[in-house]
Amino acid sequence: MKQYLFVNFKTYEESTGTKAVSLAKLLSAEFDGSVEIIPVVQALDLKEITSSASLKVFAQHIDPVFFGSNTGKILPEAVKSAGAFGTVLNHAENKVENDFIKKAVQRCKETGLKIMLCAENLKRAKQLAVFNPDFIAVEPPELIGGDISVSTANPKLISDSVKAIHKINKNIIVITGAGVKNSSDVSKALELGSQGVFVASGIVCAKDKQKALKELISGFK
Ligand code: G3P
């Protein structure tokens, strides 16, 4: 079964503009095919990253709009033509309603973008599974950016989410996020049934990003 390391660049200074490109190159250099490493990047950095790193890249968001009058929105076709493989929706820092998600999932399917939906709890994970996304990332907001991972603080949430999501659609890939910092956070998340992790500060804000990345990758072995 394929395993995933999603790296959310958010809007950290360390992962914006030229620094985003350097970070994507670093991720690309560590990619050996065993774990799918996916940078999740700002819309403005997409094109340069997709043309300089040999990884599948996700956008941080799209809007469910069509070509036309939609000032300030992120058009799925533009994201696709900038080389994105997929997009995240409903991250805890950019939440949207289920009606928005329904339309956005449809637009992603029309444009050929993979979709990762983020769920803040079990209830929302069950609601989102009905939309049949490719991935659901379960991330308790209170643990995001902290040093205690969801694998330690709330392991039951991971196993319960995997069961509940797969009861609705067994093809959805469940990912664990929030506070993931080391190899044991990763291996516990995998043991509990998820197929990968969604990490931000553990890599982006690390003093030695390469070391942090290697440490996390070692949790998949
Ligand atoms: O999208 C992943 C993110 O929200 C987790 O952030 O800093 O806890 O790894 P962090």
Side-chain angles (χ1 to χ4, degrees), residues 8 10 12 91 93 139 143-146 178-180 198-202:
N8 191 347
K10 301 198 175 185
Y12 287 114
H91 190 276
E93 292 149 12
E139 295 202 311
L143 299 173
I144 291 177
V180 173
F198 197 8
V199 180
S201 54

Side-chain angles (χ1 to χ4, degrees), residues 4-216:
Y4 298 85
L5 172 57
F6 285 86
V7 183
N8 191 347
F9 285 30
K10 301 198 175 185
T11 56
Y12 287 114
E13 189 178 351
E14 298 91 330
S15 49
T16 295
T18 53
K19 290 181 181 169
V21 177
S22 308
L23 178 56
K25 284 184 181 162
L26 189 146
L27 299 180
S28 193
E30 290 300 322
F31 175 65
D32 65 4
S34 56
V35 179
E36 192 77 68
I37 302 178
I38 301 187
V40 179
V41 310
Q42 295 171 45
L44 279 175
D45 292 328
L46 254 180
K47 200 158 190 172
E48 200 161 348
I49 288 177
T50 57
S51 40
S52 55
S54 43
L55 294 172
K56 290 172 178 155
V57 180
F58 269 45
Q60 291 180 7
H61 182 75
I62 57 104
D63 289 293
V65 294
F66 294 84
F67 287 111
S69 314
N70 302 289
T71 305
K73 302 292 185 193
I74 301 180
L75 179 71
E77 280 81 355
V79 163
K80 178 74 181 173
S81 78
F85 187 71
T87 187
V88 170
L89 286 167
N90 196 47
H91 190 276
E93 292 149 12
N94 197 6
K95 286 168 71 63
V96 290
E97 299 294 328
N98 286 350
D99 185 47
F100 181 107
I101 292 174
K102 189 176 177 192
K103 292 181 194 149
V105 166
Q106 179 59 30
R107 293 293 291 118
C108 288
K109 292 194 172 163
E110 288 162 6
T111 44
L113 290 167
K114 299 280 180 198
I115 307 143
M116 174 188 272
L117 300 179
C118 299
E120 62 273 34
N121 55 36
L122 182 58
K123 186 176 166 210
R124 193 78 191 280
K126 287 188 208 167
Q127 290 172 4
L128 298 182
V130 174
F131 298 120
N132 297 314
D134 302 285
F135 302 87
I136 292 183
V138 181
E139 295 202 311
E142 67 279 8
L143 299 173
I144 291 177
D147 284 326
I148 299 172
S149 80
V150 59
S151 315
T152 304
N154 196 352
K156 194 169 175 312
L157 174 65
I158 303 176
S159 44
D160 286 354
S161 306
V162 172
K163 268 187 227 139
I165 292 168
H166 285 167
K167 207 168 158 192
I168 296 166
N169 179 348
K170 65 177 175 25
N171 296 319
I172 298 172
I173 297 169
V174 183
I175 302 294
T176 294
V180 173
K181 290 282 183 305
N182 57 44
S183 58
S184 118
D185 295 333
V186 175
S187 56
K188 272 194 232 159
L190 300 177
E191 275 162 30
L192 292 162
S194 59
Q195 250 178 272
V197 292
F198 197 8
V199 180
S201 54
I203 293 177
V204 178
C205 305
K207 269 200 183 120
D208 185 338
K209 296 180 185 20
Q210 189 180 29
K211 190 172 164 208
L213 178 60
K214 282 182 188 291
E215 161 70 19
L216 289 167

